[in-house]
Amino acid sequence: MIKLIKVTRSFNGQRVLDGVDLEVPKGKITVIMGKSGAGKSVLLKHIAGLIKPDSGQIIIDGFDITQATGRELQEFKKRFGILFQGGALFDSLTVFENVAFPLREKTRLSEEEIRKRVRERLDQVALPPEVEEKFPDELSGGMKKRVALARALIQEPAILLFDEPVTGLDPPMTNTVFHLISKTHEEIGYTGVVVSHDIPEVFQIADQVAMLHRGRIIAVGTPEEIQRFPDPVVQDFIHGEIDYMEA
Ligand SMILES: Nc1ncnc2c1ncn2[C@@H]1O[C@H](COP(=O)(O)OP(=O)(O)OP(=O)(O)O)[C@@H](O)[C@H]1O
Ligand SMILES: [Mg+2]
């Protein structure tokens, strides 16, 4: 469903993506791993059409989004749900309005239907009704993550991108969020791309794992295949035996 072909992108003369080739199968969950600064968030933003590559193609359902006009891209973005690293909630909107936002922007549902759907999603991430009228500043980090997750899931999108959905959460909440990602994946059947540092925990929700290193995908396979992948860079990363930072 999603195919990246020789995607390159530099920032201020520094090449972050240096010919990324990756196929993300439809209806499956692909996990992208790699060191901090490797370009994982940049890669996700390319898939979401938020950043244009310097060269290369990004094909989604047979359509090259790098060639899309502003209007076409706008239409395209309706099919995506994104959970940004850091949550990116609107600070001036309540929890309710944050979660309702994609529905207000992309659908014409009645107020009653919006209320119902927001409540359902907040229930799933274990946030009680009294949280709905709070502002993001009044929430803990983990609660913000869960609100952001509820917002990403609410449109039941065809493609869901998660940038570090569990970073900063405690172990039980990490499990809850991974469970929720799997469960909603079973229900909705979206194509998912998850960036995560929680190795090997994230492998339990992955159909496919890809490793980004020095601007390229150096390994792709099932979690089992990746765990046996012979490249020492991959092995060291999985076993946490290298300097964490790439840049
Ligand atoms: N808009 C931007 N302008 C300039 N440089 C950028 C921009 N976005 C990303 N970069 C650079 O691209 C590189 C990769 O950044 P990116 O955020 O994708 O890393 P990452 O793999 O997601 O790291 P982390 O695991 O810490 O989130 C970094 O060197 C970063 O400074
Ligand atoms: Mg990142």
Side-chain angles (χ1 to χ4, degrees):
M1 140 164 279
I2 303 173
K3 194 169 177 182
L4 284 81
I5 304 167
K6 294 193 168 49
V7 171
T8 67
R9 182 63 152 97
S10 299
F11 291 102
N12 314 317
Q14 179 208 355
R15 190 164 274 208
V16 175
L17 302 182
D18 188 21
V20 168
D21 287 309
L22 178 66
E23 275 188 44
V24 175
K26 192 177 186 125
K28 306 264 192 231
I29 294 185
T30 295
V31 165
I32 298 182
M33 62 179 194
K35 290 182 235 175
S36 182
K40 303 180 298 297
S41 296
V42 167
L43 184 62
L44 271 197
K45 287 176 188 162
H46 275 82
I47 296 174
L50 299 172
I51 301 182
K52 269 197 185 249
D54 297 329
S55 65
Q57 289 173 290
I58 299 165
I59 317 260
I60 300 181
D61 276 344
F63 183 79
D64 185 354
I65 62 163
T66 63
Q67 303 300 319
T69 63
R71 206 195 165 91
E72 285 167 338
L73 208 53
Q74 214 50 45
E75 275 305 304
F76 224 81
K77 284 181 188 162
K78 288 190 182 171
R79 299 165 52 190
F80 283 92
I82 308 178
L83 178 64
F84 288 104
Q85 193 169 6
L89 297 175
F90 303 113
D91 289 330
S92 62
L93 298 183
T94 62
V95 166
F96 178 85
E97 287 303 332
N98 263 284
V99 179
F101 189 83
L103 296 180
R104 294 205 194 288
E105 202 182 40
K106 299 176 187 181
T107 72
R108 289 170 183 275
L109 294 171
S110 69
E111 193 56 32
E112 195 190 339
E113 184 62 27
I114 289 176
R115 290 236 151 245
K116 186 170 144 259
R117 292 201 190 180
V118 169
R119 182 83 304 267
E120 272 170 17
R121 291 300 168 195
L122 288 173
D123 263 342
Q124 281 185 318
V125 292
L127 290 172
E130 56 271 26
V131 172
E132 288 182 14
E133 295 316 309
K134 291 192 192 293
F135 288 89
D137 276 351
E138 304 173 85
L139 305 176
S140 72
M143 289 164 89
K144 281 187 210 167
K145 268 257 142 87
R146 286 183 277 155
V147 173
L149 186 63
R151 186 177 65 182
L153 291 171
I154 199 155
Q155 313 157 67
E156 308 199 342
I159 301 168
L160 252 170
L161 310 176
F162 300 93
D163 199 350
E164 315 231 0
V166 298
T167 306
L169 300 184
D170 61 19
M173 195 45 72
T174 296
N175 274 333
T176 303
V177 169
F178 279 151
H179 177 73
L180 190 63
I181 291 175
S182 300
K183 192 170 137 247
T184 51
H185 181 252
E186 280 164 24
E187 285 165 14
I188 307 172
Y190 55 77
T191 301
V193 184
V194 182
V195 168
S196 178
H197 286 297
D198 290 72
I199 311 292
E201 290 79 7
V202 69
F203 287 172
Q204 70 196 34
I205 63 164
D207 296 299
Q208 169 175 280
V209 179
M211 177 155 178
L212 181 63
H213 182 69
R214 301 213 169 129
R216 297 198 181 158
I217 298 294
I218 60 162
V220 186
T222 63
E224 296 72 30
E225 286 165 350
I226 287 291
Q227 273 161 314
R228 283 188 270 109
F229 207 82
D231 186 334
V233 174
V234 177
Q235 285 303 321
D236 288 351
F237 185 77
I238 291 174
H239 297 106
E241 284 166 9
I242 31 168
D243 291 341
Y244 194 62
M245 303 291 284
E246 175 137 312

